[in-house]
Amino acid sequence: MVGVPLARRAKRRAHHAPRKMTSVLEYAQLGWASCMGAHPLSEGGRACSCDRVGCPDPGMHPLSPAWQMQATTDTALLTRWWKQDPDANVILPTGRVFDVFDVPAAAGRPALAAMDAAGFDTGPVAENGDRVLFFVATRGAPEDEDEWWSCSLDAGPETIDSTPGLRWHCRDSYVLAPPSTTPLGGVVSWIRPPDGRPLPDPLRVLDLLADFCE
């Protein structure tokens, strides 16, 4: 009985690991920097591949505290990293090329349908469990930056349950990117994969999302 689940886990790893390296190299071609993320564990008494005992967010965070400096588009470096740890999840820092609106699927799915009905070009859209991620052009560091905030404080695992609405990942934040694996055995996936076209205006997308996130 024990051999069956282990075989299934090995099959999942063999299936997803090469896709992760392929994906980070494709992101690099788009100019999207990435870095290694921790990945969930299902054996050995630990839930996460990181060094933290009792990790509160297993497999959903960067592997290194220096992730902002490590994130790169260098294909040789990315290839070496994922050859060393093919199970590593994929972290994409926000606030560089793109920002990400992170909304509950209950709001994101109908909002996406409404955008399609209106003929609005949504840009890349991904799904992570019960959350939908809309990739938009970055605001970067606008002149009125005092009115904007670093989303790392607003997107931590301890606040997920208490702030179920819209979150704006901009500078100093990140998202878990396809085809990363989640603690419940799911896979982050693209609803609309990136295709190199210009990303949509964040304020226009925000206007369209706001009504569905109230």
Side-chain angles (χ1 to χ4, degrees):
M1 296 295 292
V2 175
V4 174
L6 288 176
R8 287 177 181 169
R9 284 196 290 270
K11 184 177 180 180
R12 283 201 298 268
R13 287 196 295 269
H15 178 63
H16 294 306
R19 289 176 52 200
K20 291 176 180 178
M21 180 187 292
T22 298
S23 293
V24 296
L25 295 179
E26 290 174 348
Y27 297 149
Q29 290 179 350
L30 293 170
W32 295 9
S34 57
C35 65
M36 300 178 77
H39 62 86
L41 297 177
S42 54
E43 52 196 52
R46 295 172 55 201
C48 185
S49 66
C50 72
D51 295 330
R52 185 174 180 181
V53 176
C55 175
D57 198 25
M60 303 286 283
H61 60 85
L63 196 56
S64 169
W67 62 271
Q68 293 191 67
M69 292 184 290
Q70 290 181 348
T72 182
T73 57
D74 184 327
T75 56
L77 189 54
L78 293 168
T79 298
R80 188 170 80 227
W81 285 347
W82 265 270
K83 279 186 176 179
Q84 291 172 347
D85 188 359
D87 289 325
N89 274 341
V90 180
I91 296 293
L92 296 178
T94 53
R96 299 184 183 187
V97 176
F98 53 81
D99 291 352
V100 172
F101 290 120
D102 174 350
V103 302
R109 284 288 186 175
L112 183 58
M115 291 176 190
D116 288 342
F120 182 82
D121 185 2
T122 62
V125 182
E127 190 167 37
N128 181 355
D130 61 354
R131 309 287 300 187
V132 175
L133 310 177
F134 291 80
F135 286 66
V136 297
T138 184
R139 285 277 294 176
E143 293 180 2
D144 57 344
E145 66 176 322
D146 288 344
E147 299 180 13
W148 301 86
W149 63 95
S150 169
C151 291
S152 56
L153 299 177
D154 159 72
E158 67 278 4
T159 67
I160 292 295
D161 292 335
S162 60
T163 56
L166 183 149
R167 290 191 288 277
W168 187 332
H169 295 274
C170 49
R171 54 194 172 89
D172 299 330
S173 191
Y174 60 84
V175 291
L176 193 66
S180 296
T181 51
T182 66
L184 296 179
V187 179
V188 184
S189 59
W190 288 112
I191 301 173
R192 305 277 168 82
D195 56 12
R197 287 183 292 175
L199 298 172
D201 183 324
L203 298 183
R204 287 193 64 200
V205 175
L206 181 61
D207 274 345
L208 293 167
L209 288 176
D211 291 340
F212 292 89
C213 294
E214 291 180 350

